[in-house]
Amino acid sequence: MAVPAALIPPSSLVQPCPISTSSSASSASSSSCSATAASSSSPSATSASPSQTATQNLFRTDLISTNTSSIPLAGKPVYSTPSPVENTPQNNECRMVELRGAKVASFTVEGQELICLPQAFDLFLKHLVGGLHTVYTKLKRLEITPVVCNVEQVRILRGLGAIQPGVNRCKLICRKDFETLYNDCTNARLEHSFSAPKQIINSQVG
């Protein structure tokens, strides 16, 4: 006769720990049971695989720098602006000097005479080029770096009328560099004058 399934006692998956009446035996058996359960439940917790150890050695967080302030942003060029002239009484002493038959304001910085570039532009270059921005473009092409005025020099030039009252920046240039700039502007003007009649003749012939 078949025995019903409900009457068959279920088999235990985990062997129960032996029950001991002594306290020392109970503590020893419970410790062994805990160790057995821990080792059987998580075998990967006691030791790491070689691939995991190699990955941890390759990626060391102590070698990664978090300081990104010195990294330049891509696509943004870095421009170096010259520092203004040192604000000293010797550098701020202004004199009116003669340049091509006209009087212009000048300062002597480190033994070199520097004239006011915007004033020289208004007197000699305004009729040759489109504007002061064209002059700065030519200076860059000629590899000429003008000197930046300090705050006191700008105030003095405004008081003399060398620059407009609302201007708060100004640049200086030596005589030699100004002559180079003047010749470049004059030659460009002459080339434009010679090319204009040729264009007119070509248009009439065509």
Side-chain angles (χ1 to χ4, degrees):
M1 184 178 65
V3 180
L7 299 180
I8 300 175
S11 60
S12 178
L13 298 178
V14 180
Q15 295 296 329
C17 298
I19 300 174
S20 176
T21 55
S22 61
S23 59
S24 58
S26 176
S27 59
S29 61
S30 61
S31 300
S32 62
C33 290
S34 301
T36 305
S39 61
S40 60
S41 61
S42 59
S44 61
T46 56
S47 60
S49 63
S51 61
Q52 292 177 348
T53 306
T55 305
Q56 293 176 358
N57 293 335
L58 288 176
F59 297 93
R60 294 180 56 186
T61 56
D62 57 339
L63 297 179
I64 300 176
S65 175
T66 57
N67 185 13
T68 58
S69 59
S70 61
I71 302 176
L73 297 178
K76 294 186 178 182
V78 179
Y79 299 98
S80 58
T81 304
S83 301
V85 176
E86 186 180 0
N87 195 350
T88 62
Q90 293 79 10
N91 293 338
N92 297 339
E93 185 178 352
C94 184
R95 295 186 304 114
M96 300 300 294
V97 297
E98 186 174 349
L99 177 67
R100 290 183 169 270
K103 294 290 185 179
V104 295
S106 69
F107 298 94
T108 302
V109 179
E110 296 181 358
Q112 187 177 28
E113 183 184 70
L114 302 174
I115 62 177
C116 177
L117 181 57
Q119 187 182 20
F121 166 78
D122 289 334
L123 293 174
F124 307 107
L125 305 178
K126 194 173 184 178
H127 65 285
L128 298 176
V129 296
L132 192 57
H133 63 280
T134 307
V135 171
Y136 290 129
T137 302
K138 289 180 176 293
L139 290 175
K140 186 176 181 180
R141 178 174 54 82
L142 296 171
E143 297 182 354
I144 297 175
T145 304
V147 179
V148 181
C149 294
N150 60 40
V151 177
E152 184 63 20
Q153 289 174 337
V154 173
R155 187 188 66 81
I156 294 173
L157 293 175
R158 283 201 304 257
L160 294 174
I163 57 178
Q164 298 296 326
V167 176
N168 56 5
R169 292 181 298 176
C170 184
K171 293 185 178 182
L172 308 173
I173 189 173
C174 66
R175 285 178 177 266
K176 180 181 177 181
D177 291 341
F178 176 77
E179 291 298 331
T180 303
L181 174 64
Y182 181 83
N183 293 333
D184 185 82
C185 295
T186 305
N187 294 334
R189 182 73 173 183
L190 292 175
E191 291 176 0
H192 179 72
S193 299
F194 283 128
S195 62
K198 294 181 181 180
Q199 294 176 357
I200 297 175
I201 293 174
N202 294 334
S203 63
Q204 292 177 352
V205 172

